[in-house]
Amino acid sequence: IIPLVASNPQQGADFTPIHPHSYCPSVPIPDPNITLPPSPAGRTSSTLINSWLDRNRNWAAQQDPETLIDLAAGQDPQSFFITCADSRVSPELYLDLPQGELFMVRNVANLAHPNDNALMSALEYAVGTLLVKHIVVTGHYECGGIKAVLDDGEPLGGALDGWLYQIEGVKRANEKVLKDLPDDVKWDRLAELSTLNSAAIIADMKPVQAAWREGRQLTIHAMVFDIRNGLSIDLGYQQPEILPDKSSTGK
Protein backbone atom coordinates (compact mmCIF):
# COMPACT_ATOMS: atom_id res chain seq x y z
CA ILE A 1 0.00 0.00 0.00
CA ILE A 2 1.38 3.42 -0.94
CA PRO A 3 0.30 6.13 1.53
CA LEU A 4 -1.08 9.26 -0.07
CA VAL A 5 0.55 12.14 1.78
CA ALA A 6 -0.97 15.47 0.88
CA SER A 7 1.61 18.17 0.14
CA ASN A 8 -1.15 20.78 0.21
CA PRO A 9 -4.62 19.81 1.47
CA GLN A 10 -6.13 22.44 -0.81
CA GLN A 11 -4.49 21.09 -3.95
CA GLY A 12 -4.66 17.32 -3.53
CA ALA A 13 -1.75 14.93 -2.97
CA ASP A 14 1.56 14.04 -4.57
CA PHE A 15 1.74 10.31 -5.10
CA THR A 16 2.70 7.60 -7.56
CA PRO A 17 -0.44 5.71 -8.64
CA ILE A 18 -0.33 1.98 -9.25
CA HIS A 19 -2.26 1.03 -12.36
CA PRO A 20 -4.45 -2.10 -11.98
CA HIS A 21 -2.46 -3.71 -14.79
CA SER A 22 0.51 -4.08 -12.43
CA TYR A 23 -1.36 -6.66 -10.38
CA CYS A 24 -4.12 -7.65 -12.80
CA PRO A 25 -2.70 -8.24 -16.29
CA SER A 26 -6.16 -8.60 -17.82
CA VAL A 27 -6.84 -4.89 -17.30
CA PRO A 28 -5.85 -2.96 -20.45
CA ILE A 29 -3.36 -0.11 -20.08
CA PRO A 30 -4.89 3.18 -21.25
CA ASP A 31 -3.14 5.27 -23.90
CA PRO A 32 -1.22 7.95 -21.91
CA ASN A 33 -1.39 10.32 -24.90
CA ILE A 34 -5.16 10.64 -24.76
CA THR A 35 -6.34 13.80 -23.00
CA LEU A 36 -9.97 13.86 -22.01
CA PRO A 37 -11.69 17.27 -21.86
CA PRO A 38 -13.38 18.33 -18.63
CA SER A 39 -17.02 17.32 -18.63
CA PRO A 40 -20.12 18.97 -17.16
CA ALA A 41 -20.49 15.88 -14.98
CA GLY A 42 -17.01 16.53 -13.56
CA ARG A 43 -17.89 20.10 -12.68
CA THR A 44 -21.12 18.95 -11.08
CA SER A 45 -19.14 16.43 -9.06
CA SER A 46 -16.86 19.17 -7.73
CA THR A 47 -19.90 21.11 -6.58
CA LEU A 48 -21.22 18.00 -4.87
CA ILE A 49 -17.90 17.31 -3.13
CA ASN A 50 -17.72 20.90 -1.93
CA SER A 51 -21.20 20.62 -0.45
CA TRP A 52 -20.15 17.44 1.34
CA LEU A 53 -17.08 19.17 2.74
CA ASP A 54 -19.26 22.03 4.01
CA ARG A 55 -21.51 19.52 5.76
CA ASN A 56 -18.47 17.72 7.14
CA ARG A 57 -17.09 20.91 8.66
CA ASN A 58 -20.43 21.61 10.29
CA TRP A 59 -20.54 18.06 11.64
CA ALA A 60 -16.96 18.18 12.95
CA ALA A 61 -17.64 21.47 14.75
CA GLN A 62 -20.48 19.79 16.69
CA GLN A 63 -18.43 16.81 17.90
CA ASP A 64 -16.91 16.41 21.33
CA PRO A 65 -13.12 16.84 20.85
CA GLU A 66 -12.34 14.29 23.57
CA THR A 67 -14.50 11.69 21.82
CA LEU A 68 -12.65 12.24 18.55
CA ILE A 69 -9.30 11.92 20.34
CA ASP A 70 -10.45 8.62 21.86
CA LEU A 71 -11.55 7.35 18.45
CA ALA A 72 -8.22 8.34 16.92
CA ALA A 73 -6.39 6.30 19.57
CA GLY A 74 -7.86 3.06 18.21
CA GLN A 75 -10.99 1.05 17.64
CA ASP A 76 -12.52 -1.55 19.93
CA PRO A 77 -15.83 -2.62 18.34
CA GLN A 78 -17.71 -5.54 19.83
CA SER A 79 -19.57 -6.40 16.63
CA PHE A 80 -18.73 -7.16 13.01
CA PHE A 81 -21.56 -6.40 10.58
CA ILE A 82 -21.98 -7.91 7.12
CA THR A 83 -24.61 -5.83 5.41
CA CYS A 84 -25.89 -4.74 2.02
CA ALA A 85 -24.34 -1.98 -0.09
CA ASP A 86 -27.82 -0.46 -0.51
CA SER A 87 -27.67 3.29 0.12
CA ARG A 88 -30.79 3.14 2.31
CA VAL A 89 -29.25 0.69 4.78
CA SER A 90 -27.03 2.26 7.48
CA PRO A 91 -26.92 0.13 10.64
CA GLU A 92 -25.27 2.83 12.77
CA LEU A 93 -28.22 5.11 11.99
CA TYR A 94 -31.16 2.77 12.42
CA LEU A 95 -29.67 1.07 15.50
CA ASP A 96 -28.79 4.50 16.92
CA LEU A 97 -25.18 3.55 17.66
CA PRO A 98 -22.25 5.94 18.13
CA GLN A 99 -19.22 6.09 15.87
CA GLY A 100 -16.79 3.22 16.47
CA GLU A 101 -19.33 0.62 17.60
CA LEU A 102 -19.46 -1.44 14.40
CA PHE A 103 -16.75 -2.94 12.23
CA MET A 104 -18.43 -3.47 8.88
CA VAL A 105 -18.20 -4.84 5.37
CA ARG A 106 -20.79 -4.26 2.64
CA ASN A 107 -21.64 -6.02 -0.59
CA VAL A 108 -24.63 -6.47 -2.88
CA ALA A 109 -27.36 -8.39 -1.00
CA ASN A 110 -25.14 -9.06 2.08
CA LEU A 111 -23.87 -12.38 0.76
CA ALA A 112 -21.13 -14.55 2.27
CA HIS A 113 -18.94 -15.82 -0.55
CA PRO A 114 -15.85 -17.72 0.69
CA ASN A 115 -13.94 -16.43 -2.36
CA ASP A 116 -14.76 -12.80 -1.57
CA ASN A 117 -11.39 -11.43 -0.46
CA ALA A 118 -12.91 -8.25 0.93
CA LEU A 119 -15.24 -10.23 3.19
CA MET A 120 -12.60 -12.76 4.20
CA SER A 121 -10.04 -10.06 5.03
CA ALA A 122 -12.57 -8.18 7.14
CA LEU A 123 -13.72 -11.38 8.87
CA GLU A 124 -10.17 -12.45 9.70
CA TYR A 125 -9.34 -9.01 11.06
CA ALA A 126 -12.58 -8.75 13.05
CA VAL A 127 -12.22 -12.16 14.67
CA GLY A 128 -8.45 -12.50 14.90
CA THR A 129 -7.33 -8.94 15.69
CA LEU A 130 -10.29 -6.94 16.98
CA LEU A 131 -11.62 -9.99 18.89
CA VAL A 132 -15.24 -9.08 18.27
CA LYS A 133 -17.85 -10.97 20.26
CA HIS A 134 -20.68 -10.73 17.73
CA ILE A 135 -20.95 -11.28 13.99
CA VAL A 136 -24.18 -9.94 12.51
CA VAL A 137 -25.38 -10.68 8.99
CA THR A 138 -28.10 -8.15 8.32
CA GLY A 139 -30.28 -8.13 5.23
CA HIS A 140 -33.17 -5.87 4.39
CA TYR A 141 -36.57 -5.89 2.75
CA GLU A 142 -36.95 -4.25 -0.68
CA CYS A 143 -33.52 -5.60 -1.65
CA GLY A 144 -32.74 -5.20 -5.35
CA GLY A 145 -30.47 -8.24 -5.41
CA ILE A 146 -33.23 -10.46 -4.05
CA LYS A 147 -35.74 -8.98 -6.48
CA ALA A 148 -33.45 -9.64 -9.45
CA VAL A 149 -33.39 -13.35 -8.59
CA LEU A 150 -37.14 -13.54 -8.03
CA ASP A 151 -37.93 -11.85 -11.34
CA ASP A 152 -36.25 -14.63 -13.39
CA GLY A 153 -35.55 -12.08 -16.10
CA GLU A 154 -32.70 -11.61 -18.49
CA PRO A 155 -29.17 -12.03 -17.09
CA LEU A 156 -27.88 -8.83 -15.53
CA GLY A 157 -24.47 -9.36 -17.05
CA GLY A 158 -21.00 -8.80 -15.69
CA ALA A 159 -20.12 -9.86 -12.18
CA LEU A 160 -23.67 -9.60 -10.83
CA ASP A 161 -24.94 -12.85 -12.33
CA GLY A 162 -22.24 -14.91 -10.67
CA TRP A 163 -22.55 -12.97 -7.45
CA LEU A 164 -26.31 -13.44 -7.11
CA TYR A 165 -26.19 -17.15 -7.97
CA GLN A 166 -26.03 -17.92 -4.25
CA ILE A 167 -29.50 -16.40 -3.81
CA GLU A 168 -30.75 -18.52 -6.70
CA GLY A 169 -29.57 -21.60 -4.81
CA VAL A 170 -31.41 -20.48 -1.67
CA LYS A 171 -34.55 -19.94 -3.73
CA ARG A 172 -34.40 -23.41 -5.27
CA ALA A 173 -33.71 -25.08 -1.91
CA ASN A 174 -36.74 -23.37 -0.35
CA GLU A 175 -39.13 -23.62 -3.30
CA LYS A 176 -41.83 -25.34 -1.21
CA VAL A 177 -41.78 -22.50 1.30
CA LEU A 178 -41.85 -19.76 -1.31
CA LYS A 179 -44.06 -21.02 -4.14
CA ASP A 180 -47.51 -20.21 -2.71
CA LEU A 181 -46.62 -16.86 -1.17
CA PRO A 182 -47.83 -13.54 -2.66
CA ASP A 183 -45.07 -11.78 -4.56
CA ASP A 184 -44.41 -9.09 -1.94
CA VAL A 185 -44.31 -11.63 0.88
CA LYS A 186 -42.08 -13.92 -1.20
CA TRP A 187 -39.65 -11.02 -1.68
CA ASP A 188 -39.46 -10.49 2.08
CA ARG A 189 -39.17 -14.18 2.87
CA LEU A 190 -36.35 -14.82 0.41
CA ALA A 191 -34.45 -11.88 1.91
CA GLU A 192 -34.77 -13.56 5.31
CA LEU A 193 -33.75 -16.99 4.01
CA SER A 194 -30.76 -15.61 2.14
CA THR A 195 -29.60 -13.74 5.25
CA LEU A 196 -29.90 -16.91 7.34
CA ASN A 197 -27.97 -18.80 4.68
CA SER A 198 -25.16 -16.23 4.77
CA ALA A 199 -25.01 -16.54 8.56
CA ALA A 200 -24.67 -20.33 8.22
CA ILE A 201 -21.83 -19.91 5.72
CA ILE A 202 -20.03 -17.49 8.05
CA ALA A 203 -20.35 -20.03 10.87
CA ASP A 204 -18.45 -22.60 8.78
CA MET A 205 -15.57 -20.28 7.91
CA LYS A 206 -12.14 -21.01 9.40
CA PRO A 207 -11.70 -17.86 11.53
CA VAL A 208 -15.02 -18.46 13.26
CA GLN A 209 -14.48 -22.17 13.78
CA ALA A 210 -10.97 -21.55 15.11
CA ALA A 211 -12.30 -18.98 17.60
CA TRP A 212 -14.91 -21.43 18.85
CA ARG A 213 -12.36 -24.23 19.25
CA GLU A 214 -10.30 -21.83 21.37
CA GLY A 215 -13.32 -21.31 23.61
CA ARG A 216 -13.83 -17.71 22.51
CA GLN A 217 -17.12 -15.97 23.14
CA LEU A 218 -18.37 -15.36 19.60
CA THR A 219 -22.03 -15.31 18.61
CA ILE A 220 -23.48 -15.14 15.11
CA HIS A 221 -26.75 -13.31 14.50
CA ALA A 222 -29.01 -12.87 11.48
CA MET A 223 -31.17 -9.77 11.24
CA VAL A 224 -33.24 -7.99 8.63
CA PHE A 225 -34.04 -4.30 8.36
CA ASP A 226 -37.48 -3.16 7.22
CA ILE A 227 -36.96 0.07 5.28
CA ARG A 228 -40.72 0.63 5.22
CA ASN A 229 -41.05 1.21 8.96
CA GLY A 230 -37.45 1.65 10.13
CA LEU A 231 -37.47 -1.44 12.36
CA SER A 232 -34.84 -4.19 12.56
CA ILE A 233 -35.86 -7.81 13.19
CA ASP A 234 -33.87 -10.64 14.79
CA LEU A 235 -34.29 -13.76 12.63
CA GLY A 236 -33.38 -16.10 15.49
CA TYR A 237 -30.37 -17.77 13.91
CA GLN A 238 -29.40 -20.96 15.75
CA GLN A 239 -25.70 -21.49 16.50
CA PRO A 240 -24.23 -24.60 14.82
CA GLU A 241 -21.93 -27.16 16.35
CA ILE A 242 -18.17 -26.71 16.17
CA LEU A 243 -16.76 -28.62 13.19
CA PRO A 244 -13.79 -30.99 13.53
CA ASP A 245 -10.44 -29.35 12.79
CA LYS A 246 -9.52 -30.99 9.47
CA SER A 247 -6.07 -29.38 9.47
CA SER A 248 -5.08 -31.24 12.63
CA THR A 249 -6.59 -34.58 11.63
CA GLY A 250 -5.12 -34.50 8.15
CA LYS A 251 -8.51 -35.34 6.61
Side-chain angles (χ1 to χ4, degrees), residues 11 24 33 39 43 52 55-56 61 66 68 76 107 111 124 131 140-142 162 182 190 206-207 224 229 232 242 248:
Q11 298 180 11
C24 184
N33 297 316
S39 65
R43 291 193 292 272
W52 288 348
R55 294 173 67 90
N56 169 248
E66 292 298 324
L68 296 179
D76 185 28
N107 62 50
L111 298 178
E124 290 174 6
L131 304 178
H140 66 98
Y141 298 144
E142 310 294 317
L190 184 55
K206 288 182 179 180
V224 67
N229 60 23
S232 191
I242 301 175
S248 63

Side-chain angles (χ1 to χ4, degrees), residues 97-235:
L97 293 174
Q99 191 176 0
E101 285 290 317
L102 304 180
F103 187 67
M104 190 181 310
V105 69
R106 290 174 174 267
N107 62 50
V108 173
N110 49 275
L111 298 178
H113 282 281
N115 60 348
D116 177 0
N117 287 336
L119 169 64
M120 292 306 300
S121 298
L123 177 65
E124 290 174 6
Y125 189 73
V127 175
T129 301
L130 296 176
L131 304 178
V132 298
K133 293 182 172 60
H134 302 273
I135 298 176
V136 184
V137 182
T138 180
H140 66 98
Y141 298 144
E142 310 294 317
C143 177
I146 300 293
K147 186 68 161 59
V149 172
L150 279 176
D151 283 347
D152 292 324
E154 292 295 320
L156 298 173
L160 275 174
D161 289 325
W163 181 261
L164 297 176
Y165 188 76
Q166 187 180 108
I167 304 174
E168 182 65 41
V170 173
K171 186 182 78 167
R172 289 198 304 269
N174 294 275
E175 192 63 36
K176 291 182 179 179
V177 175
L178 297 169
K179 65 177 183 178
D180 295 327
L181 297 176
D183 289 345
D184 57 341
V185 178
K186 186 182 297 184
W187 190 2
D188 287 355
R189 185 58 179 150
L190 184 55
E192 296 169 355
L193 293 170
S194 179
T195 299
L196 288 164
N197 183 69
S198 289
I201 293 173
I202 292 293
D204 283 347
M205 288 182 172
K206 288 182 179 180
V208 174
Q209 289 287 321
W212 283 340
R213 282 192 291 269
E214 294 169 2
R216 291 256 310 277
Q217 179 186 345
L218 181 61
T219 306
I220 296 179
H221 311 268
M223 303 177 71
V224 67
F225 174 58
D226 191 341
I227 297 174
R228 299 163 298 203
N229 60 23
L231 296 177
S232 191
I233 303 164
D234 184 355
L235 296 177

Side-chain angles (χ1 to χ4, degrees), residues 75-91:
Q75 61 174 327
D76 185 28
Q78 299 298 298
S79 302
F80 172 44
F81 265 56
I82 301 161
T83 190
C84 185
D86 193 300
S87 62
R88 302 165 295 175
V89 178
S90 299

